[in-house]
């Protein structure tokens, strides 16, 4: 499923500091990261560790103070906000904890919108939307408004929206953080299903159940990577290395 020789996502020396009323918050401190195509990586750690900031840097939602990001071998250092927006429509799907659906648009319109913005013909956008909503168990909900859905249903709509353009990379930021146990199981099952088809996924979560579905679990603490464990039925020991496709630990 994965091609060890071709990282779909790579970052070197990422640094991000937040400045507010108090002391500066060093959210990300020199992180090196490489994710193979088709790999499912979970980033875990306590609240405030910097997990979400790392994910936002990888998706271009925030800009690093220093460091570089490569997507499919292309360096993003010179990309402006408009270019990052294009990449998020075409090559990067993002799912958030609180869904971020457009409240005054129907389910169908929420899912189709990224496709239309990316220049997909309306007929094809509708076909992609129909296929995804059916697969995610939301057939018949097309005309519903987000506020009429349960939390689990809204997150499934958000997942459909993130995947409608078939992006090579899916970034998920605490996708079950506001869901009950049933909704969490649904999200875990769906992420696993798409991963089995070759979807590259980077997931930020504090939930061990979601993390257990990944190929690798990265422990993030105080803006740094504390551990990188590759999962294989509990028989493969954690590995730390500088070779392509594996996280490099950096103080």
């Amino acid at each position: 499923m994965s091609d060890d020789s071709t990282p779909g996502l790579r970052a070197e020396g990422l640094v991000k500091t937040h400045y507010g009323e108090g002391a500066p918050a060093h959210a990300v401190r020199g992180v090196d990261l490489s994710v193979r195509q088709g790999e499912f990586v979970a980033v875990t750690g306590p609240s405030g560790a910097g997990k979400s900031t790392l994910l936002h840097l990888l998706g271009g939602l925030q800009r690093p103070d220093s460091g570089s990001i490569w997507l499919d071998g292309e360096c993003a250092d010179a990309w402006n906000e408009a270019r990052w927006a294009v990449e998020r429509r075409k090559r990067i799907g993002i799912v958030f904890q609180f869904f971020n659906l457009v409240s005054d648009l129907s389910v169908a319109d929420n899912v189709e919108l990224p496709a239309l913005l990316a220049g997909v013909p309306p007929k094809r956008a509708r076909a992609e939307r129909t296929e995804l909503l059916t697969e995610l168990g939301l057939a018949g909900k097309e005309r519903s408004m987000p506020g009429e859905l349960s939390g689990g249903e809204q997150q499934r709509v958000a997942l459909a929206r993130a995947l409608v353009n078939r992006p090579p990379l899916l970034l998920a930021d605490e996708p079950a953080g506001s869901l009950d146990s049933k909704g969490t199981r649904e999200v875990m099952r769906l992420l696993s299903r798409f991963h089995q088809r070759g979807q590259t996924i980077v997931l930020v979560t504090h939930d061990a159940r979601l993390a257990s579905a990944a190929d690798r679990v990265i422990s993030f603490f105080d803006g740094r990577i504390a551990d990188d464990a590759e999962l294989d039925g509990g028989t493969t020991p954690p590995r730390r290395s500088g070779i392509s496709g594996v996280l490099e630990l950096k103080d």
Side-chain angles (χ1 to χ4, degrees):
M1 183 182 303
S2 299
D3 179 356
D4 289 351
S5 66
T6 310
L9 174 67
R10 182 162 63 93
E12 289 185 0
L14 288 186
V15 173
K16 182 65 178 180
T17 301
H18 298 302
Y19 297 93
E21 296 181 357
H26 303 288
V28 177
R29 306 178 185 230
V31 169
D32 294 349
L33 168 65
S34 187
V35 178
R36 295 185 294 268
Q37 293 179 358
E39 191 172 26
F40 187 170
V41 175
V43 181
T44 67
S47 177
K51 308 183 303 297
S52 290
T53 297
L54 174 62
L55 200 78
H56 291 178
L57 293 175
L58 298 177
L61 296 171
Q62 297 182 35
R63 302 296 291 270
D65 299 328
S66 61
S68 297
I69 297 170
W70 284 263
L71 185 64
D72 293 331
E74 184 177 1
C75 184
D77 285 358
W79 293 0
N80 57 21
E81 295 300 327
R83 174 63 186 275
W84 271 111
V86 170
E87 296 302 323
R88 286 192 295 270
R89 286 197 292 266
K90 294 185 176 180
R91 290 201 285 180
I92 306 171
I94 304 180
V95 181
F96 299 94
Q97 175 178 351
F98 295 108
F99 323 133
N100 284 11
L101 300 175
V102 181
S103 61
D104 57 353
L105 292 182
S106 68
V107 165
D109 290 339
N110 265 282
V111 176
E112 285 182 27
L113 182 59
L116 297 175
L117 290 174
V120 176
K123 184 177 180 179
R124 179 178 155 200
R126 286 193 297 271
E128 293 286 352
R129 175 257 294 172
T130 299
E131 179 181 343
L132 277 168
L133 291 181
T134 298
E135 179 169 7
L136 297 177
L138 292 167
K141 299 283 187 179
E142 291 85 356
R143 303 265 64 91
S144 298
M145 305 301 286
E148 299 171 343
L149 305 178
S150 68
E153 288 172 333
Q154 289 186 64
Q155 193 57 286
R156 280 183 274 158
V157 174
L159 185 58
R161 179 186 60 185
L163 293 171
V164 70
N165 288 328
R166 302 181 183 270
L169 175 64
L170 177 66
L171 304 178
D173 187 5
E174 297 281 11
S178 59
L179 303 180
D180 58 17
S181 58
K182 179 182 177 182
T184 297
R185 289 193 299 272
E186 289 178 350
V187 169
M188 179 178 176
R189 174 176 55 82
L190 293 170
L191 290 177
S192 296
R193 179 190 301 173
F194 284 100
H195 170 50
Q196 289 299 317
R197 298 176 187 173
Q199 179 70 55
T200 305
I201 302 172
V202 178
L203 163 73
V204 161
T205 183
H206 63 271
D207 193 315
R209 293 170 296 177
L210 279 179
S212 68
D215 298 322
R216 286 163 52 206
V217 177
I218 296 163
S219 298
F220 207 70
F221 182 75
D222 196 23
R224 296 187 176 95
I225 296 159
D227 193 34
D228 172 16
E230 188 158 316
L231 303 185
D232 184 17
T235 60
T236 301
R239 70 177 186 177
R240 301 185 182 104
S241 174
I243 64 173
S244 177
V246 183
L247 270 171
E248 301 173 14
L249 302 189
K250 186 171 183 178
D251 292 330

